Amino acid sequence: MTFFDAALLFLSGFVSGAVNAVAGGGTFVTFGAMSLVGLPPIVANATSSVTQFPGYITSTLAYLDDIRHFWRQALLLCVISALGALAGSLILLALSNPSFRALVPWLLIAATALFAAGPWLKPAPKPGAEAKVGSFAGSLAQFATSVYGGFFGAGMGVMMLATLGLTQAGDYHRLNALKNMLAVVIAAIAILVFVSGGVVAWPQAIVMIPGGALGGYAGVWMAKRVPQNLVRGFVVAVGLFLAFYYFTKG
């Protein structure tokens, strides 16, 4: 890893943390940076999961008061999320880098479209409604989402918030709290599988994690001053650039 590579990765970690704090989508930035410095796509994907994990933890802690009201009912969804993440991450490890590389541009296009549609996929506010979790339809939707999250992860938060809004009751903040809680489970299981499979690039991850922490802090300042539409446009542009990069690189 050259000094330039380290600087690029640290900067991408910073930008990713800031973008996640404002609008989400930081995975596009970290995955792209690791691709540009030459990491194989499976390693870039797995390492990106590691670099995003601290942000999932802090986001969940921020919603701890809400989670206290429904965490017992959400345990079933946690188990389902763990099983889905395990399946998705094992599927990823079963692929070769060339096979996964062929899928990456299509996954990026789908994730970018999903992220761009995020504002229209947010659940409608339901003030005063208690968050009910664990329905059959919700369990199936969550399993599918967690398989995707374990396999790739970009756009997982938007997808999960959309499916929870369709299958669960509760206002936006309670659904977002549930989403963050389940995201921690999905990421933790995927990381365990990736670490045991030896596909995490630890030097790159160690460089990026402090950048992500600083970016998350700076993102709070940015959230008050930078329009979310501008940040969302940046993330969509990064996603399209990465898709083009993988389509042309082959």
Side-chain angles (χ1 to χ4, degrees), residues 185-205:
V185 174
I186 293 169
I189 296 298
I191 288 170
L192 287 174
V193 173
F194 296 150
V195 170
S196 64
V199 293
V200 176
W202 286 110
Q204 287 80 359

Side-chain angles (χ1 to χ4, degrees), residues 23 35 39 68 73 100 110 121 148 153 157 160 180 187 207 213 220 223 230:
S35 297
L39 289 181
R68 286 194 181 102
Q73 302 102 293
F100 184 61
L121 295 175
Y148 171 83
M160 203 185 321
N180 289 335
V207 169
V220 176
L230 183 62

